[in-house]
Amino acid sequence: MDFEFTEEELAFREEVENFARSEMPREIEEKAYLWPGGYGTLPIFEKEFEEFCRNFFLKLGKKGWLSLGWPEKYGGVNSIVKQAIVDDVLSYHRAPCAHAATSIVAPTLMRFGSDEMNNIWMPGIINGTTSFWLGYSEPDVGSDLGSVKTTAVKDGSEYVVNGQKIWSSGAHVTDYCWLLAKTDDSSKHKGMSLFIVDNNTPGVTIKPITNIAGIDSFNEVFFDDVRVPEKNLVGEKNNGFYYVMSALEHERIVIGFGTFRRILDELTQYVKEKKKAVGNTREYEEARNIIALMAIEVEVLKSFFWRTVWMMDNGHKANIEASALKLFCSELGVSLSNSAVDILGLYGQIDKGTKWTQFGGRAGIGYLDSISGPIGAGASEIQRVLIATRGLGLPRG
Amino acid sequence: MDFEFTEEELAFREEVENFARSEMPREIEEKAYLWPGGYGTLPIFEKEFEEFCRNFFLKLGKKGWLSLGWPEKYGGVNSIVKQAIVDDVLSYHRAPCAHAATSIVAPTLMRFGSDEMNNIWMPGIINGTTSFWLGYSEPDVGSDLGSVKTTAVKDGSEYVVNGQKIWSSGAHVTDYCWLLAKTDDSSKHKGMSLFIVDNNTPGVTIKPITNIAGIDSFNEVFFDDVRVPEKNLVGEKNNGFYYVMSALEHERIVIGFGTFRRILDELTQYVKEKKKAVGNTREYEEARNIIALMAIEVEVLKSFFWRTVWMMDNGHKANIEASALKLFCSELGVSLSNSAVDILGLYGQIDKGTKWTQFGGRAGIGYLDSISGPIGAGASEIQRVLIATRGLGLPRG
Amino acid sequence: MNFALTKEQKMLQKSIRQYIKKKCPNSLVKELAASEKGYSPELWKEMAELGWMGLVFPDEYEGSNFSFFDLVLFFEEMGYNICPGPLFSTLVLSGLPILNYADNKLKSEILPQISTGEIILTMAVTEENADYIPSSIKTSAIKEGDEYIINGTKLFVNDAHVSDYILCVARTDETPNPEDGVTLFMVNAKTPGVEISLMKNVTLEKPCEVKFENVKVPAKNIIGKLNNGWMIVNDTIEKAALVKSAEMIGGARGTMDLALQYAKERVQFQRPIGSFQAVQQHFANMWLGINGCRDLVYLAASKTAKGEHAEKEIAMAKARTGKIFREVTTLGHQIFGAIGYTMEHDMHLYRRQALSGDITFGNTYSQLDKIAVSLGL
Amino acid sequence: MNFALTKEQKMLQKSIRQYIKKKCPNSLVKELAASEKGYSPELWKEMAELGWMGLVFPDEYEGSNFSFFDLVLFFEEMGYNICPGPLFSTLVLSGLPILNYADNKLKSEILPQISTGEIILTMAVTEENADYIPSSIKTSAIKEGDEYIINGTKLFVNDAHVSDYILCVARTDETPNPEDGVTLFMVNAKTPGVEISLMKNVTLEKPCEVKFENVKVPAKNIIGKLNNGWMIVNDTIEKAALVKSAEMIGGARGTMDLALQYAKERVQFQRPIGSFQAVQQHFANMWLGINGCRDLVYLAASKTAKGEHAEKEIAMAKARTGKIFREVTTLGHQIFGAIGYTMEHDMHLYRRQALSGDITFGNTYSQLDKIAVSLGL
């Protein structure tokens, strides 16, 4: 067993680190909250950062860093480890490094898309020009994707889409929808298909929703007689639910692992400075314990992360590990925010950008945002059921 | 709202305290582990303490302290508060103060038993001569009492009992079984009846089981053609399950609240002495926090306890509160034992009665015994479901 | 022993609950939280007319003569539906110390104005260290003739920006024991040299920085005695911690009730989500958490109302309630899922209340210290 | 990066697992735990013949030449099925320091005897304070000619009662920094003045009190250098903490597998209990707890095997594993209910292992201190 990066990987890490230092504006690094494990403070979902992110993705595309885990044919070097290094290093700097296009759309297209389709869509994803949002959730569909109601009805060489999506992260700052819609009413899970829909198609209305952290990160999206060309159907008709499930593993390794390291470092730094100012108080002793406990959990996440990455890189099935990674990551985001609030006390309520701001104003916002982790992208309770049933073979309830 | 005892109650507390000091042998007080919230270290279930307990119950009977909560007619003064004072004060001294006869049998008889039956059984319970064990659980019946298999078949003026009970706490040190048996196969919950069965009836075989703490606290009991006189049927035939459920509230307030206070006091004392010997170390600071947290939880238990007692004394339905009390009590027993082990370190493994013994050797035994709390007499998961469904009106799953 | 509330207390609870629900719906809460002022002067007037401003003052100050225990109940219900504003600062942080420690002249002057809703007050304790210990009081007050000159900066002073008076905790003497040189001054907020600015924050509170630059305060504005102010501050902060705990209990109850309604109605996988065991375990934990704190609060309130020392009981109540309210909102959010994560929904109001409640007047860890001390550790 | 074990490592795991399962069934574990000796001399001989006693010794000492990483894997599997005895004391607490720090003469004399299973050893570190810090070492060794005279009392010395040699940590000099005056002696357990008695305990271990009364030890029995022993002790305790963590992971896996089998078979309310959501949440938590610790252990083992400094990694592994193993047994008991609460059942063996594993070589809280130090706090 070997936990070290190869020489080449270390050199690559260094390269990414240098890139981040030169290309990530200090100002944005400070401004973005980016709470670990949360979904509401990601710069890629925020209008304020849209232009910056679009440019940054172009740079990443130019470097070839959006496709590292993929085969050469798709601009990659077949190294999910390298892709994870980019995630780790860039997210430490609160820089964008992945989005739905790279973590969901491309892996699905490469596996299930026709050559014709891939020739159209993959280049833009690889070079960072094309962005997507995920059109899965609906008002009455929470954890139960089987009950999607949006319909896509064939009409000549087009599909006509009607329905409503919600909680659509980044729909307002991206180009295309990766749409899950009902194409066959006679079956539940087997009656759904995936489509690519241009946000600018007539009949698509995108209304941002403000999240708990005060950020418009997600949207309600309405589809009124939206006509989608047949060639935008992904893979086989009625196979959409299966495609969605198959891609989960890929989504779940994009955890922004560096954000966890960053918060731990910053909080440790805060405690050190506080000690310098106030001395060796009981609060300091307590903060010291809290940080040691946090450090262990971040180290655990690190193992879960790299083991899952390594498994995927080496062709092992990792869906239980990916579920565990998602679950652990979400729960850790919550407990880190609790730790931060406990350590900061009254300063924990102060937002960023003031003279009293401590810890980048992240404690209070993290406390608000962190609750999105255990509820988003497969709630914690459901991940636990998955581990117990699929991972440990317990009978379904 | 008033959290204080009346003058009279305070005087009574004092009286019980004095009684405990004079009547509870110091040696037994030290020897009994009696971990709070556990079921396996109660002196009343231990052969070693049988004679002492029988004598002690006689003394309690003489004082009238076994029947305080009951009507005058049954030797009582209608004060569950006073009954709880006895529980609180005596359990602090690790003295017995209640058993199945007082917490289950008598409340059920008084409510559902015939005058004839009560005339036979109540006097012995009131004066402390008669003891019972509960014949509910069976090998394939854990939390699901509805599936009891032991049968009682009418034969002339007798019932013939066949079957097996298990986890029967104290069957080996008591006189009678409070037996739940199937009397009608056509219905599940409505086909069960309660009987009183003398342990000495031919066909009753009691085999002690050694528990995790090394104590024979419970038993397997076999019934082979055991003939029980018809007059020993409690209340109406086929109403047994309902009687069992009705009595739960009474059982659940017998929590030995004083044992929690005692453990907190002893652990606090241990930490003080350790500090005197070793000084103000980081371990001391940590122990200090642990004890403060424990003290809060013991205070919470105190509120749950007295509020439930008060409710019952004042004719309020308290079954949710009683469930909560049981749940909280069990879980607190576990967390107290974890705290004790964390504080004692290497000394936590040492048993009682040696020159290296600390904290009465209770940490290690408590750590073992405490797990019985959340599994016995209605597991924690089930208590939570009860609170959610009966207490908060959530639909059953 | 009596765990029941009196008929009058139940009526008080009911009237507050109904009034706040009607007059301060969550849409208004959000509006007020977003506004600079942070409260509604109309509501303020109405509440004064209802007799709430002088709830615990005697008749002579146009008060309503309720007990401290009733004040605790009052704020519990205020927390259930949430009503932002300087009520806590005025009644608890300022009204109580004036009532209990000021001289008759000051009381006669100030208390009736509180009762009638004419003035708003707050107390300025914390400074850069953001804690409630006497050695952290660096703001100084130096005597010059009949006046004191105050210099220093106070932080986290809720509602100072709308206050007419600020009770300022200042150092009047350098003593070996830092609590022996602290004095409490009532400062008119309009006095030259007082500079107030809002601190940008994420809760529903309005914390302010208050700078004192050569602020002149007449000696008669001392509350209690010279150099004897810390005892008053400590007593007030303890009571505030207790009342805040009650407010948090109310908030936690509000959270649970909100989630409960949803769990009964929301269907997933063809069943109400409240029928899933995992969800039921969450609710039982909420119930247990809340009810486990509630009597801690009532016990401490009952002792305090009788004038008994309740430092340990208050510390226990505050330590556990802050933690539990936060946990209850975490569970509540878990029940609601995405909808509860929006600004439009009401859940975040409780989530914010749990944060501000927990961190003010000493969070869990600082209360543990007090408990340990009371246990002789 | 490579998270896979080698074929040889997998074979090692498999052979240990199969051997222990067959030769040391839980009935024997209980028998051994109840016996005074606490181990089976027959098994001991067999294990020596399998090459396990000298697992990490080179050929010249009749060892099997495995790596430290393999030793960690070895003890993980030993923990899975549990096999009581002085293996840990002999291999880890004694074999390692002798191999790494003793002079060639001592090594040539002792290590082959360990490899062949002829001798049993243990290390005596802790005294009354029951911790692993140099200032707690009060046992003294005073030079007289070519010998040292040892006086003092050691506590919690596992397996001393069956040991041929005891590595005794003694103070040889009073220095400002207490770790500068500590020396490690190899003491023949039969030397006059050595008095050993079992400490009555509730785990499967056999902790002893070892009294040294004017015990004479030749100077050549010093392991390492005079006054330089603490470094060796510290290194050994760190490695022991790591190997113990591995053993605990094995035990936690054993617990989960035991409970898992039961949850699939046991029917309540007409369903296997493993189909209840509340039970499933428990199992997911066990899985997450265990797997979250396992790589911490492997990471620390991998660093240590390479000779790198791994103090922080070891502290993390030990801190978390001790806690998780205890929690996993709590959950395991919750699954089993009453049956798991009996002496007859196997659950309590794991429950006991979790206790002894957690408290030896520094429990969670003492490891946190090391982690904080390594973070610069």
Side-chain angles (χ1 to χ4, degrees), chain A residues 212 338 347 367 369 381, chain C residues 128 282 326 341 351-352:
Chain A
I212 196 170
N338 279 320
Y347 283 106
Y367 163 84
D369 182 35
E381 292 83 356
Chain C
E128 205 187 343
H282 287 336
R326 274 164 56 182
Y341 182 70
R351 180 87 179 148
R352 286 172 212 273

Side-chain angles (χ1 to χ4, degrees), chain B residues 228-282:
Chain B
V228 180
E230 193 179 2
K231 68 180 168 60
N232 283 17
L233 169 68
V234 178
E236 308 266 315
K237 189 176 171 183
N238 294 338
N239 254 350
F241 185 78
Y242 168 64
Y243 298 158
V244 167
M245 289 298 130
S246 304
L248 287 181
E249 198 176 296
H250 293 275
E251 183 190 12
R252 283 180 186 153
I253 58 161
V254 182
I255 61 167
F257 175 62
T259 58
F260 289 87
R261 292 192 295 119
R262 182 67 178 263
I263 288 300
L264 178 63
D265 285 355
E266 290 181 341
L267 211 45
T268 307
Q269 193 54 32
Y270 172 80
V271 171
K272 278 181 194 169
E273 279 162 19
K274 182 97 180 172
K275 187 197 171 186
K276 257 186 230 156
V278 188
N280 201 350
T281 59
R282 284 216 154 102

Side-chain angles (χ1 to χ4, degrees), chain D residues 215-231:
Chain D
V215 175
K216 292 182 181 167
V217 186
K220 67 178 173 59
N221 276 19
I222 289 177
I223 294 173
K225 294 214 176 72
L226 180 69
N227 292 331
N228 206 12
W230 187 256
M231 179 269 291

Side-chain angles (χ1 to χ4, degrees), chain D residues 148-161:
Chain D
Y148 281 81
I149 315 292
I150 300 182
N151 276 288
T153 300
K154 294 287 180 180
L155 295 181
F156 307 106
V157 186
N158 285 348
D159 310 310
H161 67 309

Side-chain angles (χ1 to χ4, degrees), chain C residues 207-365:
Chain C
C208 297
E209 177 188 34
V210 183
K211 278 192 196 154
F212 294 85
E213 261 192 78
N214 295 320
V215 174
K216 293 182 181 163
V217 185
K220 68 178 172 59
N221 277 18
I222 289 177
I223 295 173
K225 294 214 177 73
L226 181 68
N227 291 330
N228 207 11
W230 187 256
M231 179 269 289
I232 304 173
V233 173
N234 194 52
D235 179 47
T236 306
I237 296 303
E238 263 183 41
K239 290 194 171 107
L242 177 55
V243 178
K244 187 52 81 175
S245 301
E247 196 187 278
M248 289 197 283
I249 292 287
R253 283 170 42 222
T255 307
M256 184 171 76
D257 286 355
L258 204 62
L260 196 55
Q261 196 185 334
Y262 185 74
K264 287 176 183 172
E265 290 164 2
R266 169 78 169 170
V267 171
Q268 288 259 288
F269 302 100
Q270 289 94 50
R271 292 159 55 182
I273 59 171
S275 69
F276 288 98
Q277 259 197 8
V279 171
Q280 295 183 345
Q281 305 282 310
H282 287 336
F283 274 104
N285 289 336
M286 286 195 241
W287 190 96
L288 211 59
I290 293 170
N291 286 282
C293 291
R294 208 173 177 187
D295 276 336
L296 288 187
V297 170
Y298 291 160
L299 168 66
S302 161
K303 282 197 134 183
T304 306
K306 286 183 197 163
E308 292 171 24
H309 194 64
E311 188 176 23
K312 181 175 86 171
E313 288 75 11
I314 291 173
M316 286 180 164
K318 182 65 172 61
R320 193 173 194 272
T321 309
K323 200 169 159 283
I324 291 289
F325 189 12
R326 274 164 56 182
E327 284 174 13
V328 166
T329 63
T330 305
L331 292 174
H333 276 293
Q334 197 64 25
I335 306 295
F336 276 107
I339 186 86
Y341 182 70
T342 63
M343 272 296 197
E344 212 191 327
H345 198 265
D346 296 338
M347 260 308 295
H348 74 91
L349 300 175
Y350 290 109
R351 180 87 179 148
R352 286 172 212 273
Q353 288 288 80
L355 176 60
S356 54
D358 181 42
I359 62 181
T360 45
F361 313 124
N363 68 5
T364 303
Y365 290 105

Side-chain angles (χ1 to χ4, degrees), chain B residues 112-318:
Chain B
F112 304 109
S114 64
D115 283 349
E116 194 200 336
M117 191 162 210
N118 291 356
N119 286 338
I120 298 173
W121 295 100
M122 287 300 292
I125 296 175
I126 293 166
N127 67 29
T129 49
T130 310
S131 57
F132 279 84
W133 60 277
L134 301 179
Y136 297 168
S137 293
E138 297 187 5
D140 288 319
V141 178
S143 302
D144 181 12
L145 273 191
S147 43
V148 155
K149 286 191 183 59
T150 295
T151 55
V153 178
K154 187 88 183 282
D155 183 25
S157 67
E158 293 176 324
Y159 280 86
V160 182
V161 177
N162 277 288
Q164 185 195 345
K165 295 290 172 179
I166 197 167
W167 319 128
S168 314
S169 290
H172 59 314
V173 290
T174 49
D175 308 317
Y176 298 96
C177 174
W178 184 249
L179 180 78
L180 186 66
K182 198 99 198 149
T183 37
D184 181 357
D185 251 348
S186 66
S187 165
K188 195 177 168 183
H189 294 110
K190 291 190 175 161
M192 283 182 275
S193 303
L194 270 177
F195 297 90
I196 293 176
V197 185
D198 191 322
N199 280 0
N200 294 316
T201 320
V204 176
T205 314
I206 299 175
K207 290 190 180 169
I209 304 173
T210 308
N211 73 29
I212 198 171
I215 297 167
D216 291 354
S217 62
F218 44 23
N219 301 268
E220 273 185 298
V221 185
F222 301 90
F223 293 84
D224 294 306
D225 289 330
V226 174
R227 304 192 76 87
V228 180
E230 193 179 2
K231 68 180 168 60
N232 283 17
L233 169 68
V234 178
E236 308 266 315
K237 189 176 171 183
N238 294 338
N239 254 350
F241 185 78
Y242 168 64
Y243 298 158
V244 167
M245 289 298 130
S246 304
L248 287 181
E249 198 176 296
H250 293 275
E251 183 190 12
R252 283 180 186 153
I253 58 161
V254 182
I255 61 167
F257 175 62
T259 58
F260 289 87
R261 292 192 295 119
R262 182 67 178 263
I263 288 300
L264 178 63
D265 285 355
E266 290 181 341
L267 211 45
T268 307
Q269 193 54 32
Y270 172 80
V271 171
K272 278 181 194 169
E273 279 162 19
K274 182 97 180 172
K275 187 197 171 186
K276 257 186 230 156
V278 188
N280 201 350
T281 59
R282 284 216 154 102
E283 280 81 28
Y284 172 69
E285 288 295 325
E286 194 52 50
R288 221 174 151 262
N289 271 352
I290 295 174
I291 288 197
L293 284 166
M294 281 172 50
I296 300 175
E297 299 308 300
V298 171
E299 191 70 29
V300 168
L301 181 67
K302 188 176 163 186
S303 310
F304 277 132
F305 178 57
W306 291 109
R307 180 179 278 273
T308 310
V309 165
W310 175 85
M311 287 176 78
M312 290 175 61
D313 232 355
N314 287 273
H316 301 287
K317 255 220 142 344

